Amino acid sequence: MGGNPAKNHYAQLNQGEENEMEIFGYKTQGCRKALCIAGYILSCGALLLLFYWKPEWDVWANCVRCSLEEADIVLLRTTDEFRIYSRKTVTWISVSALIRSRTDYPASAEEDSIFSKAIMKPSLQVKSIQVQKIRYVWNIYAKQFQKVGVLEDHHTCSAIHAKFGSGLTCNEQNVRRVICGPNTIDVPVIPIWKLLIKEVLNPFYVFQLFSVCLWFAEDYMEYATAIIIMSLLSIFLTVYDLRQQSIKLHRLVESHNNIMVSVCRNKEGFQELESHHLVPGDMLVLKEGKTLLPCDAILISGQCIVNESMLTGESIPVTKTHLPQADNFKPWRMHCAEDYKKHVLFCGTEVIQTKADDRGVVKAVVLRTGFNTAKGDLVRSILYPKPMNFKLYRDALRFLMCLVAFAAIGMIYTVCVFALNGEEAGEVVKKALDVITIAVPPALPAALTTGIIYTQRRLKKKGIFCISPQRINMCGQLNLICFDKTGTLTEDGLDLWGLLPSERNCFQDIHSFPADHSLPWGPVFRAMAVCHSLIVWQGKIQGDPLDVKMFEATNWVIDDSSGHQIEGQGSTHATVVRPGPKASSVPVEGVTILHQFPFSSALQRMSVIAQEIGGEQQVFTKGAPEMIAMLCRAETVPSNFENKLLLYAAQGFRVIGLACKSLPAGKQPTDLTREEVESDLTFLGLLIMENRLKRETKPVLEELSAARIRSVMVTGDNIQTAVTVAKNAGMISPMNRVILVEANQIPGSFSASITWKPLEENKTEDYRSLEDDSQTKRRIRLALESGQYHFAMTGKSYQIVTQHFRHLLPKLLLNGTVFARMSPGQKSSLVEEFQKLDYFVGMCGDGANDCGALKVAHAGISLSEQEASVASPFTSRTPSIVCVPELIREGRAALVTSFCMFKYMALYSTIQYLGVLLLYWQLNSFGNYQFLFQDLAITTVIGVTMSFTGAYPKLVPYRPPSQLVSPPLLLSVVLNILFSLSMQIFGFLVVQEQPWYSKTNIHSACLSMNNHMENYSSVSSLGLHGMRDGALEQTDNGYKSYENTTVWLLSTINCLIVALVFSKGKPFRQPIYTNYVFILVLIGQLGICLFLVFADIDDLYSKMDLVCTPTMWRISMVIMLAVTLAVSFLVEEAVIENRPLWLLLKKTFRYHSKSHYKRLQRVLEQDSAWPPLNETFFSDSVAISVERNMGGHSNPTFDSNEDSL
């Protein structure tokens, strides 16, 4: 078997990635396969259908376990809580036609690549599988499946330049092309027949098919036809919807699939070819002018300006620089750390402009192709969305299982009753199966979907679009919302407020904008004119809004017309800035920007090398003030730098530091490293920008706070600015304290420290005296004890806490309100950590850096009209956070509607089920038209109109229940079943005690009233009795009886009572009388039912299988129904909907919420030492080992107290 098969039978695919899977090897076995085929034939395809639903059973039945090396079938299982299985067949790719001799292969670029390690000798074949559009090949040496279509990560920067700098040879390219497959993101439009088959084989529709077949066998044609029509409609709507999505996605990607590109071939020069022929390692040559990128590539020479709005949602041009030729042993990605994206051109983005350096052309090495690219990843996330784990759907299945169990009891009862009475076997089986179709409502999923469709329509009217409707119900459970700051809570643009210049380590007078007099010429002015990455595109200055505002304040213009001669450098394409018509006179003609080090969020700064025309070269740097001050010579930084920075940051301004230095002559700007350039700078001053709150921010946050929904700010901005914005927006009330949590790595060791400091309002004001100081401390303590404190921390501290203080993380998140300087990865991680604490998390953001978090959150709301919104389930057309409470309101209403539908459907089927079982006792049942009236005229119409009720405009401070299996809901269902059962049994028994009742003569009641026409009646009764055996046989099909009439009329009107009682209004939905359609439908149905009770039309009665009863009995039935309505309504209002009563019961029985965060809250309330103010903790190696072993949440405080909860 090739070693121990059990040992090599299992491996992991994409370890540590979002789409991590377990993979198991299997080998098909002939005799097992033959047995399975026999099984398919004998079961008429039922076994095949079961295997279609459960691919793992298919593999286990047909195959035997073996090592992955020998496998011809692999079974994949996701590692999340869903453990979804899928089956894949191993395919073989032959490369023998390409490798004719030993000399052909392997070539220099291939020795350590997956391509040479995957080819099996001597057959020259490659073993591969394709999972979610990505191809994996078997690495013979590592004995595992590895992704192809990606350049390996182990290459160093210098290796990429050396190995791929001159391109691949034609042969290498061909081998790679065969193994990797074409470079296309191909989303074929799924044929309608495929969609149809997939939809029809859904277990629910299979159950419907079974029901329909049974009904046809019983001549229950009308309802069977109605169900077929409804199901077909539902199937066609779903298929149409899926087809439209498929077409939309196909159009979205097809434009990038075939572009002509220029490729550099080793030893053969340049070559034009179609982009789908590209392979990882190819050398792309980027030409002048606009081009769409067909793959991800690493820029290795020159510079590019790219529009990445397709990926990020921000249409700001981004500057890309080439990969440095660093000579070290670190893989290129590790070497560039978080900044590696500055060298990567992403698929689907548009190159607006290329700037060649002295080496001639702009070149890039293909990094990823096809579905491995950034765009491919986005498309895959739409094609294979992560399944949502929502209790409602799990409970729904359990609920249906309960109904099936319920039906099984009925089946046993049916078989016993009919068999004992000597019915023939065929009839008994039909009657027994009928019970299942009655007890399990086939219209349930359709009814649930309608509610969500209506909500989706209501949201669309309010400008909120939804691409994942099943998440709407989740919005009803949200209790924590993370907001991005810039562009979400605050206005998108920044306004230039002032400039605080610094000379000889002292701050000068502030220069305010818009000023009457212009800025004087000097280093600060030069920094503002050149330290940016702006370009002129389509006649407009484009770039970061901050850069645009800063540059506009100088009144200079960008002259981007041509290449410029620079001494000793030949011709390069450089940007020149010159004084504009409105600029004040300056002693220079212009300044040339020779080289850029683009802004990096990891380094929090950007730099340029510039040269006055005819002057010396200078470096200008701008970025986060703390960062810039560290890079400057200490003697140039003013002593009151920190105080000034705090003063402005505390007022909510965005502060930018500026610095410069002169460069020695004769050095090529391109030869300098970033570290050399950004050191020993001279501090120039602070640029102060204003970032105003949006008008609607404060009222929305107040509304959420009143509804007890937590708001958290997650931003890339400075922590002080973020705290101020949080205070101004009302996230942190003026009475509450802010505690800054700082974690630092201790240099040269594996441990770290964490400190808690109260964040002072304004450090410039010292406290008057010591008594004052002690009073302050007391005030802080009081605020802390009442739980009125908020933690604020930076991304760096958050990272260290997750690594070294894992046990403290849940406690910090419980009161963490401001998370500043967070990278995109940290934002996603934060959302996931909140979810681990059992919060339902919403994320509201507007752009690039939020994509990951928007996807991970339970409900991601994107405020961007860009395509990036495909990453989030909800997109708001109006770029303001007003959509958040709106969505929560609709979500709550949709959730309550789902519960109402569930309760109603369960009760309707139970009422019908009880009625039928009662009549089975007498070997009777409901007639076809009776069933039809209940199923179609009552339930279907109610199911469609019940969901019309809109959301209640006010958000209440509690959420609707998230579980179907909750005590109030179960009690409500059980009590209503009991009321219904008692009423039906009461009617069933009492009718038999009536003086006019006769078991055999169904006309006795009405005939006894016609005593004055005795002669006629005796003749007629004789006639009727005579006819009963003959002509009337067709009209009376054996269903007519007094019990049938009584039970059917009671159960039909009972369905209406239940519909009315279960239609919840406040506090989550508008009052029921606002749903006019539903009210009219109910009145109409009640009218028809009462007409049936009191009407005496022979034709109608015989059609409906009803018999005539005395008026008094009809009135008593109405009284029974009225009593049931009153009792049911009273119980629902006084017990089920009585929130104070349930809270009292919870308190009496000491029931506590099982949510992780609630338990933690209770523990911390008892802990007087938390939060530890002005204290520092150190992590030791133990903390790290705990974190490594646990992998999840380790929280000693919480664990030790768990038993006492």
Side-chain angles (χ1 to χ4, degrees):
M1 287 289 290
N4 177 1
K7 182 170 166 255
N8 306 324
H9 162 67
Y10 154 85
Q12 276 198 325
L13 212 57
N14 307 327
Q15 205 162 356
E17 291 179 40
E18 199 181 343
N19 53 346
E20 185 181 81
M21 286 181 173
E22 294 169 317
I23 177 169
F24 305 91
Y26 286 91
K27 207 181 204 168
T28 317
Q29 209 180 33
C31 55
R32 282 176 171 239
K33 201 163 175 110
L35 278 171
C36 286
I37 291 170
Y40 302 154
I41 296 163
L42 293 172
S43 65
C44 302
L47 186 65
L48 196 60
L49 187 64
L50 190 65
F51 283 169
Y52 169 77
W53 291 335
K54 289 273 186 192
E56 65 271 33
W57 293 2
D58 180 10
V59 174
W60 295 334
N62 279 290
C63 313
V64 286
R65 281 172 63 160
C66 68
S67 65
L68 281 165
E69 198 167 0
E70 299 173 310
D72 59 1
I73 298 279
V74 291
L75 188 61
L76 296 155
R77 181 173 70 191
T78 58
T79 51
D80 53 19
E81 70 263 43
F82 301 102
R83 325 278 284 178
I84 297 165
Y85 282 95
S86 53
R87 168 189 185 277
K88 297 282 167 199
T89 308
V90 175
T91 52
W92 293 89
I93 304 166
S94 171
V95 289
S96 55
L98 301 168
I99 304 175
R100 282 179 277 289
S101 65
R102 283 296 294 125
T103 54
D104 271 4
Y105 210 78
S108 61
E110 304 297 341
E111 282 148 16
D112 59 348
S113 79
I114 176 70
F115 299 100
S116 58
K117 291 176 181 172
I119 297 173
M120 297 198 176
K121 315 283 185 314
S123 64
L124 296 179
Q125 285 187 316
V126 177
K127 186 175 170 178
S128 77
I129 54 171
Q130 185 146 337
V131 182
Q132 294 190 345
K133 304 272 184 195
I134 286 188
R135 190 177 285 184
Y136 299 83
V137 298
W138 180 256
N139 181 332
I140 306 161
Y141 303 99
K143 301 239 177 287
Q144 63 180 28
F145 278 106
Q146 265 180 309
K147 210 182 263 188
V148 284
V150 181
L151 205 62
E152 285 94 337
D153 276 342
H154 61 72
H155 294 299
T156 61
C157 295
S158 50
I160 287 180
H161 281 276
K163 278 187 182 173
F164 304 108
S166 50
L168 300 172
T169 63
C170 208
N171 192 48
E172 286 169 345
Q173 214 248 7
N174 289 337
V175 170
R176 287 183 172 223
R177 190 184 304 156
V178 170
I179 296 175
C180 293
N183 167 38
T184 54
I185 300 174
D186 194 18
V187 183
V189 176
I190 308 165
I192 289 179
W193 63 268
K194 258 192 190 170
L195 287 169
L196 261 174
I197 290 174
K198 199 175 169 189
E199 195 61 27
V200 169
L201 292 182
N202 181 329
F204 160 68
Y205 286 121
V206 172
F207 173 66
Q208 278 207 340
L209 186 69
F210 158 75
S211 306
V212 166
C213 293
L214 185 70
W215 294 331
F216 274 124
E218 294 185 336
D219 284 344
Y220 185 25
M221 301 286 186
E222 294 85 348
Y223 186 57
T225 314
I227 282 284
I228 289 174
I229 293 168
M230 274 164 61
S231 299
L232 286 177
L233 257 172
S234 162
I235 289 171
F236 282 130
L237 278 173
T238 314
V239 167
Y240 174 75
D241 210 28
L242 289 169
R243 172 89 175 174
Q244 289 307 101
Q245 274 181 12
S246 182
I247 291 171
K248 192 176 167 190
L249 206 52
H250 176 73
R251 286 193 186 138
L252 179 80
V253 295
E254 72 178 336
S255 55
H256 304 169
N257 281 341
N258 240 344
I259 302 161
M260 291 305 289
V261 288
S262 232
V263 175
C264 179
R265 279 268 170 276
N266 199 342
K267 306 190 184 80
E268 293 174 31
F270 299 117
Q271 188 183 344
E272 288 274 322
L273 81 162
E274 290 179 338
S275 62
H276 65 85
H277 292 312
L278 288 174
V279 294
D282 259 335
M283 165 65 60
L284 271 180
V285 179
L286 298 169
K287 301 197 183 116
E288 279 286 309
K290 282 195 200 172
T291 36
L292 268 177
L293 279 165
C295 59
D296 288 2
I298 313 170
L299 197 61
I300 60 165
S301 77
Q303 190 179 330
C304 285
I305 291 169
V306 188
N307 174 10
E308 289 191 344
S309 64
M310 178 263 141
L311 283 182
T312 62
E314 293 180 13
S315 46
I316 297 166
V318 184
T319 304
K320 301 283 183 178
T321 55
H322 65 78
L323 187 74
Q325 273 188 312
D327 228 352
N328 61 9
F329 299 107
K330 273 190 184 171
W332 71 277
R333 211 171 276 209
M334 302 252 299
H335 172 76
C336 304
E338 277 191 28
D339 275 343
Y340 78 90
K341 288 188 177 168
K342 294 280 166 234
H343 315 302
V344 179
L345 305 167
F346 292 105
C347 174
T349 59
E350 188 177 30
V351 177
I352 304 167
Q353 201 181 69
T354 55
K355 292 184 184 177
D357 53 18
D358 46 359
R359 277 169 289 182
V361 283
V362 179
K363 293 196 281 192
V365 173
V366 175
L367 174 64
R368 290 179 287 247
T369 57
F371 277 96
N372 293 294
T373 59
K375 174 147 191 179
D377 218 27
L378 193 66
V379 173
R380 272 180 44 242
S381 70
I382 303 168
L383 286 173
Y384 308 102
K386 263 181 117 172
M388 286 309 306
N389 184 11
F390 192 38
K391 289 183 190 138
L392 178 71
Y393 300 112
R394 277 189 322 210
D395 287 352
L397 277 173
R398 287 180 193 158
F399 194 70
L400 283 173
M401 288 301 113
C402 291
L403 288 177
V404 169
F406 204 40
I409 298 166
M411 281 175 76
I412 297 165
Y413 160 85
T414 309
V415 170
C416 294
V417 170
F418 281 94
L420 290 174
N421 282 289
E423 284 282 330
E424 58 189 72
E427 279 302 305
V428 176
V429 171
K430 264 203 261 177
K431 296 277 187 213
L433 290 176
D434 220 4
V435 172
I436 289 194
T437 66
I438 292 170
V440 182
L444 179 65
L448 285 179
T449 321
T450 51
I452 286 178
I453 289 171
Y454 294 145
T455 310
Q456 209 174 343
R457 277 197 0 220
R458 282 200 292 271
L459 285 172
K460 201 169 177 179
K461 277 183 192 160
K462 289 170 181 165
I464 302 168
F465 299 97
C466 167
I467 59 165
S468 163
Q470 69 272 27
R471 295 217 191 198
I472 292 177
N473 276 337
M474 292 198 104
C475 296
Q477 282 297 305
L478 296 181
N479 55 0
L480 184 148
I481 313 283
C482 296
F483 291 101
D484 179 36
K485 181 179 79 73
T486 316
T488 304
L489 298 174
T490 58
E491 294 289 353
D492 219 346
L494 291 157
D495 292 322
L496 199 55
W497 183 83
L499 172 70
L500 194 62
S502 162
E503 268 176 49
R504 295 181 302 283
N505 82 357
C506 284
F507 280 118
Q508 308 299 303
D509 292 339
I510 191 158
H511 181 97
S512 297
F513 294 95
D516 309 325
H517 59 286
S518 55
L519 263 176
W521 172 252
V524 180
F525 189 97
R526 285 199 290 277
M528 287 174 67
V530 297
C531 195
H532 52 71
S533 54
L534 301 174
I535 61 158
V536 174
W537 182 35
Q538 295 173 346
K540 262 176 76 184
I541 292 180
Q542 301 263 352
D544 188 309
L546 184 150
D547 286 357
V548 174
K549 288 277 187 226
M550 177 184 79
F551 183 70
E552 282 174 351
T554 62
N555 288 324
W556 278 37
V557 292
I558 296 176
D559 170 15
D560 206 21
S561 51
S562 59
H564 299 271
Q565 288 293 327
I566 291 145
E567 298 155 51
Q569 273 199 268
S571 171
T572 70
H573 191 104
T575 304
V576 175
V577 290
R578 304 177 185 279
K582 291 184 186 167
S584 51
S585 61
V586 289
V588 293
E589 190 191 324
V591 183
T592 309
I593 300 168
L594 303 177
H595 190 71
Q596 271 184 24
F597 295 99
F599 175 76
S600 143
S601 46
L603 301 174
Q604 299 176 3
R605 60 179 180 269
M606 73 158 293
S607 302
V608 296
I609 299 173
Q611 182 178 23
E612 287 178 25
I613 293 176
E616 61 167 2
Q617 291 185 9
Q618 276 184 308
V619 173
F620 293 98
T621 304
K622 79 168 194 299
E626 311 93 326
M627 207 70 218
I628 298 293
M630 278 163 61
L631 300 172
C632 290
R633 301 198 308 281
E635 65 271 18
T636 66
V637 180
S639 52
N640 60 342
F641 167 80
E642 284 203 347
N643 281 351
K644 283 285 186 196
L645 177 58
L646 254 167
L647 177 73
Y648 289 111
Q651 293 171 51
F653 289 117
R654 172 104 175 258
V655 185
I656 306 288
L658 299 171
C660 75
K661 77 165 177 186
S662 295
L663 280 181
K667 273 234 171 178
Q668 289 273 8
T670 46
D671 294 343
L672 294 167
T673 65
R674 192 160 187 163
E675 289 72 36
E676 286 175 76
V677 171
E678 295 172 342
S679 59
D680 298 329
L681 301 167
T682 303
F683 185 74
L684 292 178
L686 298 173
L687 200 60
I688 299 155
M689 322 282 284
E690 192 175 18
N691 193 195
R692 298 192 185 97
L693 270 185
K694 286 185 179 173
R695 237 194 9 255
E696 54 279 351
T697 297
K698 203 169 178 178
V700 167
L701 292 178
E702 280 168 358
E703 183 180 8
L704 292 177
S705 166
R708 287 218 157 110
I709 295 168
R710 239 183 98 181
S711 300
V712 169
M713 185 194 294
V714 190
T715 175
D717 208 342
N718 168 300
I719 191 156
Q720 194 74 47
T721 310
V723 168
T724 310
V725 170
K727 284 183 171 172
N728 294 345
M731 263 187 194
I732 298 173
S733 78
M735 303 305 295
N736 296 359
R737 303 294 301 176
V738 179
I739 299 167
L740 184 64
V741 179
E742 264 185 13
N744 291 300
Q745 193 95 27
I746 296 167
S749 77
F750 283 115
S751 60
S753 66
I754 183 167
T755 314
W756 283 262
K757 301 180 194 163
L759 198 65
E760 296 308 331
E761 305 308 298
N762 198 338
K763 280 191 180 163
T764 50
E765 289 178 37
D766 286 320
Y767 291 109
R768 314 287 176 284
S769 65
L770 280 170
E771 316 155 342
D772 251 12
D773 205 24
S774 61
Q775 272 183 333
T776 312
K777 279 190 174 158
R778 204 175 310 123
R779 203 177 84 232
I780 293 176
R781 250 303 137 214
L782 271 170
L784 298 183
E785 279 163 16
S786 59
Q788 296 171 327
Y789 58 91
H790 300 264
F791 291 130
M793 65 166 91
T794 59
K796 186 186 92 185
S797 298
Y798 171 77
Q799 200 66 39
I800 293 169
V801 169
T802 52
Q803 285 163 3
H804 296 272
F805 301 97
R806 193 77 198 174
H807 62 287
L808 290 174
L809 187 62
K811 296 181 180 184
L812 292 171
L813 294 185
L814 207 58
N815 284 75
T817 302
V818 175
F819 296 86
R821 295 266 184 248
M822 296 285 275
S823 69
Q826 288 167 342
K827 286 186 181 185
S828 312
S829 155
L830 179 72
V831 169
E832 285 181 321
E833 292 300 336
F834 273 128
Q835 288 172 333
K836 284 182 193 168
L837 288 179
D838 295 334
Y839 278 109
F840 277 86
V841 186
M843 169 78 201
C844 182
D846 67 333
N849 36 21
D850 303 320
C851 268
L854 289 170
K855 255 160 117 174
V856 174
H858 288 112
I861 310 153
S862 155
L863 303 182
S864 135
E865 261 298 307
Q866 295 292 340
E867 243 174 55
S869 57
V870 287
S872 77
F874 301 97
T875 307
S876 167
R877 191 187 274 161
T878 46
S880 85
I881 62 169
V882 175
C883 61
V884 176
E886 201 54 72
L887 193 58
I888 295 173
R889 273 194 284 273
E890 288 295 352
R892 286 178 170 189
L895 193 55
V896 171
T897 304
S898 295
F899 284 143
C900 293
M901 280 314 310
F902 249 111
K903 283 166 68 172
Y904 174 70
M905 282 302 197
L907 256 130
Y908 135 74
S909 52
T910 312
I911 289 170
Q912 202 178 60
Y913 168 83
L914 294 172
V916 168
L917 291 191
L918 269 178
L919 294 176
Y920 273 2
W921 188 250
Q922 293 195 331
L923 306 187
N924 197 344
S925 181
F926 288 159
N928 279 357
Y929 281 109
Q930 291 178 328
F931 273 128
L932 192 64
F933 185 79
Q934 278 189 356
D935 292 341
L936 211 58
I938 304 278
T939 305
T940 311
V941 180
I942 284 177
V944 171
T945 55
M946 199 185 222
S947 319
F948 280 156
T949 316
Y952 195 63
K954 186 180 182 299
L955 278 178
V956 288
Y958 52 91
R959 299 174 295 160
S962 65
Q963 287 174 305
L964 265 177
V965 191
S966 62
L969 206 132
L970 286 179
L971 187 68
S972 168
V973 170
V974 169
L975 285 177
N976 275 289
I977 287 175
L978 289 176
F979 298 152
S980 178
L981 182 65
S982 28
M983 178 177 67
Q984 290 192 27
I985 292 178
F986 183 73
F988 184 77
L989 296 175
V990 173
V991 77
Q992 296 175 6
E993 304 303 314
Q994 298 305 313
W996 41 262
Y997 172 80
S998 155
K999 202 165 191 172
T1000 50
N1001 181 5
I1002 51 166
H1003 301 282
S1004 58
C1006 291
L1007 293 179
S1008 61
M1009 294 156 68
N1010 297 341
N1011 277 340
H1012 59 284
M1013 294 179 69
E1014 210 152 324
N1015 182 30
Y1016 166 75
S1017 82
S1018 58
V1019 172
S1020 123
S1021 103
L1022 276 170
L1024 277 170
H1025 275 281
M1027 279 170 69
R1028 188 171 160 72
D1029 305 324
L1032 261 178
E1033 191 70 30
Q1034 284 83 31
T1035 56
D1036 178 15
N1037 43 23
Y1039 292 127
K1040 291 181 182 170
S1041 73
Y1042 290 118
E1043 290 90 345
N1044 170 298
T1045 302
T1046 305
V1047 170
W1048 184 78
L1049 286 170
L1050 288 176
S1051 63
T1052 306
I1053 300 178
N1054 197 0
C1055 288
L1056 299 180
I1057 291 173
V1058 169
L1060 181 67
V1061 170
F1062 284 168
S1063 289
K1064 298 277 188 307
K1066 288 199 304 190
F1068 302 112
R1069 302 203 303 167
Q1070 289 184 347
I1072 195 63
Y1073 54 77
T1074 58
N1075 184 350
Y1076 308 120
V1077 182
F1078 180 62
I1079 292 295
L1080 285 172
V1081 161
L1082 272 187
I1083 292 170
Q1085 289 173 334
L1086 186 66
I1088 294 169
C1089 289
L1090 288 174
F1091 176 72
L1092 284 174
V1093 173
F1094 289 107
D1096 219 346
I1097 304 164
D1098 285 345
D1099 288 350
L1100 178 66
Y1101 266 34
S1102 73
K1103 198 83 176 148
M1104 292 298 294
D1105 294 315
L1106 295 173
V1107 295
C1108 170
T1109 54
T1111 311
M1112 262 328 284
W1113 178 245
R1114 302 179 196 201
I1115 291 166
S1116 359
M1117 281 199 287
V1118 173
I1119 291 167
M1120 279 186 241
L1121 287 162
V1123 170
T1124 310
L1125 170 65
V1127 173
S1128 188
F1129 198 76
L1130 201 71
V1131 167
E1132 196 73 17
E1133 288 303 310
V1135 180
I1136 310 298
E1137 290 296 299
N1138 188 343
R1139 191 172 152 77
L1141 174 71
W1142 288 101
L1143 289 175
L1144 185 71
L1145 285 171
K1146 273 186 181 178
K1147 212 170 174 182
T1148 315
F1149 292 106
R1150 298 218 172 136
Y1151 171 81
H1152 291 304
S1153 165
K1154 290 193 180 70
S1155 293
H1156 199 138
Y1157 73 95
K1158 289 269 195 196
R1159 290 194 287 188
L1160 196 53
Q1161 254 166 359
R1162 291 196 293 276
V1163 172
L1164 292 184
E1165 276 165 16
Q1166 311 303 316
D1167 188 353
S1168 57
W1170 182 264
L1173 265 191
N1174 297 317
E1175 284 182 40
T1176 302
F1177 290 4
F1178 292 92
S1179 78
D1180 42 19
S1181 48
V1182 181
I1184 298 171
S1185 67
V1186 164
E1187 190 257 323
R1188 278 189 191 144
N1189 296 339
M1190 300 291 290
H1193 259 76
S1194 114
N1195 181 356
T1197 336
F1198 174 45
D1199 295 341
S1200 58
N1201 287 298
E1202 193 153 13
D1203 302 331
S1204 60
L1205 296 181

